[in-house]
Amino acid sequence: MTEYPWEPPLAGSEIEHLIGALERLRTTFRWKADDLTAIGLQARIGTSSLTLGGLLKHLALVEDYTFTAKLKGDPVGAQWDVMGSDGSDDWEFTSAAEDSPEQLYALWDGAVGRSRARLGAALANGGLDQLVHVSGPDGRHASLRRLVCDLIEEYGRHTGEDPPIGWRAKAGKYRVGS
């Protein structure tokens, strides 16, 4: 096993590079949010209302939304229906304070696992060039490549430097690159 299993390949295919970049950002985010108490997950810095718990829940929703609603037009799933969304744009950020660390880690870890499976199936059934459900105002549908790039960008907004050599998650069930 490599000391940096989240590293994208040095000379891989386009799919390997895109998935590698996504996995690197997922791992970097999970490292920054790993093994925190409720107090740590609810902490705010300065005037920002963002918390790591809110980001865990937000990115879990983005993972599920990207590879259900945007990919196929399907609902995001029962795990979200039972949470009582108030319909606001920032619900996942504000409601995370009511969730335990175990719930937040399980929610994100589960969403990433579902996304990996859905993306893998979509790639096997048409590759990056296939058109997906979501479309722009002009009716043109996005490609699967666009969904993957959008998710990479979403994580890029919330991460920074890579984890240290040999890092592994302590809380939850997240596994690097699997």
Side-chain angles (χ1 to χ4, degrees), residues 109-122:
D109 293 347
V112 168
R114 289 186 296 276
S115 287
R116 286 173 175 153
R118 291 171 181 146
L119 176 57

Side-chain angles (χ1 to χ4, degrees), residues 12-167:
S13 67
E14 180 185 15
I15 290 172
E16 290 169 330
H17 280 282
L18 288 173
I19 291 175
L22 178 57
E23 288 296 339
R24 180 184 203 169
L25 288 168
R26 282 174 172 155
T27 299
T28 299
F29 172 73
R30 189 60 166 76
W31 164 60
K32 290 181 176 205
D34 191 41
D35 204 27
L36 297 174
T37 65
I39 292 170
L41 289 171
Q42 294 171 10
R44 294 187 168 130
I45 298 181
T47 60
S48 176
S49 63
L50 286 179
T51 65
L52 288 175
L55 285 173
L56 275 166
K57 197 168 190 175
H58 168 70
L59 289 169
L61 180 57
V62 170
E63 289 269 4
D64 276 332
Y65 185 73
T66 298
F67 293 116
T68 56
K70 288 177 124 181
L71 178 64
K72 294 192 173 211
D74 295 337
V76 293
Q79 68 277 5
W80 293 103
D81 295 339
V82 299
M83 287 192 206
S85 170
D86 64 8
S88 67
D89 288 339
D90 62 354
W91 164 83
E92 67 271 23
F93 292 108
T94 57
S95 67
E98 301 164 16
D99 300 320
S100 72
E102 295 78 17
Q103 289 170 312
L104 291 169
Y105 291 126
L107 186 64
W108 188 83
D109 293 347
V112 168
R114 289 186 296 276
S115 287
R116 286 173 175 153
R118 291 171 181 146
L119 176 57
L123 288 168
N125 291 321
L128 292 170
D129 291 328
Q130 71 181 287
L131 298 181
V132 299
H133 174 75
V134 72
S135 61
D138 62 359
R140 289 187 311 159
H141 289 266
S143 67
L144 181 57
R145 178 182 291 101
R146 171 65 188 262
L147 292 189
V148 173
C149 289
D150 284 354
L151 193 55
I152 290 169
E153 187 219 356
E154 182 70 24
Y155 272 97
R157 284 184 238 167
H158 303 301
T159 57
E161 77 276 14
D162 286 342
I165 188 170
W167 175 83

